[in-house]
Amino acid sequence: MAVSTIPAADLRTFSEYLKGCKRILALLGAGISASSGLPTFRGVGGLWRSYDATDLATPEAFEANPDLVWQFYSYRRHMALKAQPNRAHYALAELARRNKDFVTLSQNVDGLSQRANHPLSQLRLLHGSLFTVKCTSFYCSYSRENEFADPIVPALAIPKNVPEPKPSTDDKTGEEASKSLYGTLGVSEGEELDISDDRVPLSPLSPDVLPHCPECKDGLLRPGVVWFGESLPSHTINLVDSWMKSGPIDLILVIGTSSRVYPAASYVDKARARGARVAVVNMDRNDVGSSGLNPGDWFFQGDAGAIVPEILKEVIGEI
Ligand code: BJW
């Protein structure tokens, strides 16, 4: 069976229900962008060199090794800029245009929903963006959005021969695409090595060559993402909470997330408490979140890039 085959009965009951939905929420995780060839955090493709991505996504890691953390994020910025939004990003953007009471909460920092023209007033970035930078100095509040320079400073340039993200297709799952990007990179003799290859030791970089604040001229800049132990952006959380409280919720689509990171994962139960039925799209049947599925919920197993346009088709048409 192809990984992304949808049981006909599930597709029928879901499509019928979707047509009657008024207020819809989506919670996105890295799996939706795995379909564009970007790696997830956990599981296959969740390593950058020999580092666990989640170990680098902390203020403590940045404090201890700003050069290592900046190299990680420079690589992620480069890969995200090379990747293209996939059919799932476009399908959700289309659903948003057709239903003003549909809000997407994205944990992703890669900018792919924005590049698929998802209406920005219906897209809430819970974990910030790779393309925002902010000053780390206690005395400075400098922050800049839409900073797309690649590399952001010359010392963080990515070698030209780094393989580009490979989007998934129906017979090549997002996870396989991630594997081909981040797994064992076969480098033949004489070929130039790239920094994603574990055999190339990372050279430590002096703090002087890392991005610095143009305003205070003193503080190091850091990526404008939310690391473990940091609060989510309060303005965003307030907007989401007030939307959630403003009426019952019919449906929450939970797409490509392991649902292990809080408070993001808690939106599923919050939506349920407001009446929502839950539809999970994931490669892994175990990743349904801590509260599991209830009767009347749906689980669609497979590649988000293939499944999401298919399950929304009755409402948004062909993508
Ligand atoms: C596919 C696919 C395909 C693959 N198609 N599917 C309550 C209980 C316990 C702990 C806490 C709690 N509340 C707060 C915490 C602490 C902590 C936390 O949650 N820890 C847990 C790990 C236990 N949370 C925080 O610290 C948060 N802050 C906070 O709560 O502030 C208040 C506070 C402060 C101080 C003390 C206490 C409270 C902040 C969390 C920030 C998370 N940041 C990161 C990094 C962002 C920057 C960056 O990108 O580098 O966000 S971590 C990382 O995880 C990233 C992701 O957005 C996030 C979620 O990961 P995601 O997207 O689900 O990815 P994966 O890899 O986990 O899963 C991919 C899924 O896709 C899998 O299921 C695959 O099967 C699937 N898949 N291919 C469909 N083709």
Side-chain angles (χ1 to χ4, degrees):
M1 181 179 92
V3 188
S4 299
T5 300
I6 304 173
D10 290 351
L11 185 58
R12 197 168 50 246
T13 57
F14 178 81
S15 298
E16 277 312 307
Y17 185 72
L18 180 67
K19 281 192 250 173
C21 285
K22 291 190 174 62
R23 301 185 81 241
I24 308 174
L25 200 56
L27 175 66
L28 310 186
I32 190 173
S33 298
S35 312
S36 294
L38 295 178
T40 59
F41 277 84
R42 298 162 184 85
V44 178
L47 291 180
W48 172 68
R49 302 170 59 89
S50 51
Y51 299 92
D52 183 331
T54 54
D55 287 344
L56 295 168
T58 70
E60 293 77 19
F62 188 77
E63 179 79 25
N65 290 304
D67 56 335
L68 175 69
V69 174
W70 254 122
Q71 287 177 82
F72 171 58
Y73 280 98
S74 183
Y75 190 70
R76 304 258 313 278
R77 285 165 58 93
H78 177 80
M79 285 299 161
L81 288 172
K82 291 279 180 210
Q84 298 304 324
N86 63 64
R87 290 173 63 227
H89 296 105
Y90 286 112
L92 293 168
E94 184 57 26
L95 183 63
R97 278 187 286 276
R98 289 177 187 239
N99 180 348
K100 296 295 165 209
D101 239 346
F102 166 50
V103 175
T104 294
L105 314 181
S106 181
Q107 300 173 82
N108 299 340
V109 295
D110 53 33
L112 293 185
S113 291
Q114 298 92 310
R115 283 170 53 203
N117 290 324
H118 197 112
L120 297 184
S121 61
Q122 291 167 266
L123 177 66
R124 302 291 170 217
L125 302 180
L126 300 180
H127 294 164
S129 165
L130 286 174
F131 305 104
T132 297
V133 286
K134 53 188 192 180
C135 184
T136 53
S137 166
F138 181 75
Y139 301 102
C140 181
S141 57
Y142 178 80
S143 158
R144 183 165 81 237
E145 291 181 1
N146 301 323
E147 166 49 79
F148 296 114
D150 178 27
I152 187 165
V153 290
L156 293 172
I158 307 300
K160 288 209 167 40
N161 65 338
V162 169
E164 297 198 356
K166 288 199 181 71
S168 59
T169 60
D170 274 350
D171 56 353
K172 188 172 201 286
T173 67
E175 290 213 354
E176 280 164 353
S178 300
K179 226 187 279 180
S180 65
L181 177 63
Y182 277 75
T184 46
L185 281 168
V187 182
S188 47
E189 219 177 275
E191 203 179 327
E192 204 185 325
L193 296 177
D194 67 62
I195 68 154
S196 59
D197 189 321
D198 272 337
R199 286 172 290 174
V200 186
L202 269 178
S203 331
L205 297 174
S206 145
D208 298 349
V209 301
L210 297 179
H212 275 79
C213 179
E215 204 163 276
C216 71
K217 316 275 184 215
D218 184 36
L220 267 186
L221 291 177
R222 57 160 278 186
V225 297
V226 182
W227 284 327
F228 283 114
E230 296 184 323
S231 301
L232 276 61
S234 55
H235 179 64
T236 304
I237 297 305
N238 292 341
L239 286 171
V240 175
D241 287 349
S242 83
W243 183 86
M244 293 199 66
K245 284 181 192 142
S246 65
I249 300 172
D250 299 305
L251 175 69
I252 180 164
L253 300 161
V254 184
I255 304 170
T257 177
S258 58
S259 299
R260 285 185 212 165
V261 173
Y262 289 83
S266 65
Y267 285 107
V268 179
D269 283 341
K270 286 183 186 167
R272 231 193 253 286
R274 302 201 69 82
R277 288 171 74 175
V278 178
V280 175
V281 178
N282 203 299
M283 297 289 299
D284 185 342
R285 204 159 243 292
N286 298 313
D287 279 357
V288 291
S290 58
S291 49
L293 293 175
N294 287 346
D297 292 344
W298 295 267
F299 184 83
F300 296 107
Q301 185 165 20
D303 180 21
I307 301 266
V308 174
E310 202 54 36
I311 62 174
L312 300 184
K313 195 158 75 181
E314 288 276 323
V315 169
I316 63 168
E318 202 71 63
I319 291 288

